Amino acid sequence: MRILLIEDDRKTSDYIAKGLSEAGHVCDVVGDGRDGLFQAQREAYDVIVVDRMLPGLDGLAIIRSLRAAKVGTSALFLTSIGGVDDRVEGLEAGGDDYLTKPFAFSELLARVNALGRRPPVQEQKTVLKVADLELDLIRREARRAGQAIELQPREFTLLEVLMRGEGRVITKTMLLERVWDFHFDPKTSVVETHISRLRAKVDRPFQAQLLHTVRNTGYSLHAPRTG
């Protein structure tokens, strides 16, 4: 199996990666939570093993974000936080199993193998599509009706978040967290400004509107609705 290990303790990650490799698995290791989320969204894995306490982004937030993005890869929390409420919180966040530190590697391997025997997940999309709008995540290119759209890096990320949440309302708070890494409201119009720029590029030159403002709530990107 191909396994993603998100663990910031180098000694622990080396120990686990070595054991998984000896068991015949391929293990990618990431030590930062935000990098781990990025990796989990870009590549297809059979199982994700994730610590709860991580720099950049904690394990709960990683799994919640993956589930919100409809990434169904089986996830095992591996952490020293082992209270009943903590385990429940991890499972309710979208985790499939929970193992506390210290642990026996044989048990970790057994749990990983059990998760891997579940039905395989579909390969993650590398091209997002909404109506005639396409976003190539590998080439970092955007097109609508076959016409190339030039986007700045922040605009590209903003459009990616909106397209992954197709049809759902994405609040300003969610955009601040996912696009700007703000976990507070900076009391600026940065979101509104970038939405306006994005709308000018992906909507204004074309006949149908895809990006919609939901009054007092946020934004939603979806194909034109009839009726």
Side-chain angles (χ1 to χ4, degrees), residues 1-3 25 45-49 73-76 96-97 108-121:
M1 292 186 296
R2 191 174 182 200
I3 300 166
H25 302 303
Y45 290 95
D46 298 289
V47 178
I48 298 171
V49 179
T73 309
S74 297
L76 166 67
D96 299 279
D97 202 353
L108 171 65
L109 181 60
R111 289 173 182 252
V112 167
N113 287 338
L115 291 176
R117 286 194 293 269
R118 295 185 177 183
V121 298

Side-chain angles (χ1 to χ4, degrees), residues 87-104:
R87 295 198 299 272
V88 169
E89 188 178 22
L91 296 173
E92 290 186 341
D96 299 279
D97 202 353
Y98 202 105
L99 183 62
T100 56
K101 301 176 182 177
F103 60 93

Side-chain angles (χ1 to χ4, degrees), residues 8-73:
D8 63 322
D9 183 82
R10 184 63 179 271
K11 185 176 180 180
T12 300
S13 63
D14 286 349
Y15 171 67
I16 294 173
K18 181 175 183 294
L20 292 174
S21 178
E22 290 174 347
H25 302 303
V26 175
C27 183
D28 293 338
V29 180
V30 178
D32 177 86
R34 200 160 296 281
D35 292 341
L37 175 60
F38 179 87
Q39 184 73 9
Q41 290 177 315
R42 293 301 186 271
E43 303 289 340
Y45 290 95
D46 298 289
V47 178
I48 298 171
V49 179
V50 57
D51 191 3
R52 277 194 55 167
M53 303 299 291
L54 292 163
L57 193 68
D58 67 81
L60 288 176
I62 292 173
I63 300 305
R64 287 194 183 109
S65 297
L66 290 176
R67 299 305 183 239
K70 299 183 180 179
V71 177
T73 309

Side-chain angles (χ1 to χ4, degrees), residues 171-182:
T171 67
K172 178 181 177 181
T173 299
M174 293 166 68
L175 292 175
L176 285 170
E177 290 182 352
R178 299 181 189 180
V179 180
W180 284 271
D181 195 25
F182 288 151

